[in-house]
Amino acid sequence: MGEVIALRDRSSVRARVSAEVRAEIARAGVSQVAVAKAAGMARSTFYRKLTPKEERDAFDVDELGRIARVLSVPIAKFFATADDDPDGGGSSRLGESNPRPIHYE
């Protein structure tokens, strides 16, 4: 049989994606309320997803796509650090080099 690959804790990935969303909102200089409204999300739902505590609190791909359009950034921006090694090693689960994604702006 093949090698079993241990997956990272999904909650830390959710937290990193949400942190990137918060960072992009700050970079854009717009309010979270304005982004939530423009993305068609209830303010309470949007705030809950900015600080996810459970899997149901994570942004889904459609929501991330709408937020990316509102902020005029590629959706990949939200995953810039989500797959990085939390210890700074920068290697993927398979031990291969994991360079940062190319950002198309």
Side-chain angles (χ1 to χ4, degrees):
M1 282 250 160
E3 179 182 343
V4 175
I5 300 170
L7 297 177
R8 287 200 181 114
D9 177 14
R10 283 185 271 174
S11 63
S12 66
V13 173
R14 285 193 299 272
R16 287 196 227 158
V17 168
S18 291
E20 287 298 323
V21 170
R22 290 191 308 271
E24 287 302 322
I25 291 170
R27 284 184 200 107
V30 296
S31 73
Q32 293 175 351
V33 173
V35 174
K37 184 176 181 179
M41 297 179 68
R43 184 173 47 180
S44 60
T45 301
F46 190 75
Y47 287 153
R48 186 180 76 241
K49 291 184 177 211
L50 285 175
T51 55
K53 294 181 181 30
E54 299 178 26
E55 189 169 346
R56 68 182 176 92
D57 297 335
F59 286 108
D60 66 34
V61 174
D62 292 328
E63 292 165 338
L64 290 172
R66 291 193 309 266
I67 295 165
R69 279 194 301 278
V70 168
L71 297 173
S72 299
V73 298
I75 194 171
K77 280 269 197 180
F78 302 140
F79 299 96
T81 63
D83 197 36
D84 287 350
D85 184 344
D87 298 324
S91 63
S92 73
R93 311 186 277 266
L94 300 175
E96 298 172 357
S97 174
N98 188 15
R100 285 207 170 285
I102 298 171
H103 298 288
Y104 299 99
E105 297 183 66

